[in-house]
Amino acid sequence: DQLGEKASNALSITASSEARHSALMNIIDSIQIDEPTTKMIIFANAFFGGHESALKALKKSGKKFCHVSDNEDTVNRQNEIISWFRHVDATDRDRSRPRILLLSFEQAAGHNLQEACHHVIMYDPMYSGNDAVADASVEEQALGRVLRQGQKNDVTVTRIVLRGPSGETCLDDYIVERNLDEDVLRAATSNFD
């Protein structure tokens, strides 16, 4: 991997930046203005603090949201949260539940979230170290939770990418470019051919 050993330090810093928090809130507000009852999923990288950063930003915002905690929630509670989030609202109780679900990329595997959700926010790029194919595969797996058979809506995926003060290319750009490289994606999705 050409990003080097210092990437993890930089990712830990950028994951918690106010710019990333602000971008997340702006995206959520924009979606909710157009579609106040829509559900959206935020995927964040748990390896270098992105998930914790997104959780902190959501708590600070006062927005109603839910998340699955590997440390605090039982498996039954985790499944309950995912289950009611994934279904179309049928009752007033359903409609009163949070419209935002925060998951780490790793928590996405195995869930079908296409029924009631068509907005995905990628809070930060997936980066676990030196395996571009594995990271791209994890991102594809997360997006595949919503982009799958049975989805009745166009899916909007918004990726937050930080830039320097004058728009300079930063680490996010390199990771996203690496994860979206044609050869990397081909290798990451090769078992689906």
Side-chain angles (χ1 to χ4, degrees), residues 37 43 58 71 77-78 82 87 92 111 122 166 190-191:
T37 62
F43 289 116
L58 287 165
N71 299 328
R77 177 66 181 146
Q78 292 176 21
I82 298 291
H87 292 292
D92 287 339
H111 296 294
M122 309 284 273
S166 300
S190 64
N191 33 330

Side-chain angles (χ1 to χ4, degrees), residues 13 22 30 36 40 49 52 71-72 74 78-79 85 100 102 111 117-118 120 124 129 145 174 177 182 184 186:
I13 293 167
S22 178
S30 175
M40 63 191 86
E52 285 302 313
N71 299 328
E72 299 170 18
T74 64
Q78 292 176 21
N79 289 336
F85 191 85
I100 303 167
L102 171 64
H111 296 294
C117 181
H118 62 275
V120 176
D124 55 348
R145 305 304 86 209
Y174 293 114
E177 181 181 329
E182 191 174 309
V184 170
R186 190 177 307 106

Side-chain angles (χ1 to χ4, degrees), residues 48-191:
F48 297 107
H51 185 267
E52 285 302 313
S53 174
L55 181 61
K56 179 181 172 184
L58 287 165
K59 285 180 178 178
K60 184 178 174 183
S61 75
K63 294 184 182 303
K64 195 173 180 181
F65 73 97
C66 57
H67 74 289
V68 174
S69 171
D70 290 334
N71 299 328
E72 299 170 18
D73 295 325
T74 64
V75 171
N76 285 343
R77 177 66 181 146
Q78 292 176 21
N79 289 336
E80 180 183 2
I81 291 168
I82 298 291
S83 179
W84 62 254
F85 191 85
R86 69 178 272 231
H87 292 292
V88 175
D89 297 334
T91 67
D92 287 339
R93 182 172 181 218
D94 292 341
R95 286 182 279 283
S96 71
R97 290 187 168 130
R99 308 281 94 193
I100 303 167
L101 173 63
L102 171 64
L103 293 174
S104 69
F105 284 108
E106 297 79 14
Q107 292 170 325
H111 296 294
N112 296 322
L113 301 166
Q114 78 277 12
E115 289 178 34
C117 181
H118 62 275
H119 287 282
V120 176
I121 301 169
M122 309 284 273
Y123 184 73
D124 55 348
M126 181 63 206
Y127 182 78
S128 62
N130 61 1
D131 191 343
V133 173
D135 292 344
S137 181
V138 169
E139 280 192 356
E140 289 295 307
Q141 178 70 234
L143 291 174
R145 305 304 86 209
V146 178
L147 290 166
R148 61 188 311 114
Q149 190 172 11
Q151 176 59 262
K152 295 181 176 122
N153 297 294
D154 291 335
V155 175
T156 302
V157 178
T158 306
R159 186 185 289 272
I160 298 172
V161 177
L162 293 187
R163 296 277 166 86
S166 300
E168 302 93 338
T169 299
C170 290
L171 186 58
D172 280 14
D173 289 300
Y174 293 114
I175 296 171
V176 169
E177 181 181 329
R178 178 196 79 155
N179 290 359
L180 295 178
D181 177 82
E182 191 174 309
D183 292 333
V184 170
L185 283 174
R186 190 177 307 106
T189 59
S190 64
N191 33 330

Side-chain angles (χ1 to χ4, degrees), residues 13-38:
I13 293 167
T14 64
S16 61
S17 77
E18 287 300 316
R20 198 175 297 278
H21 290 188
S22 178
L24 177 62
M25 293 306 118
N26 289 339
I27 293 164
I28 291 170
D29 289 344
S30 175
I31 292 168
Q32 290 180 328
I33 285 170
D34 292 338
E35 299 177 72
T37 62
T38 195

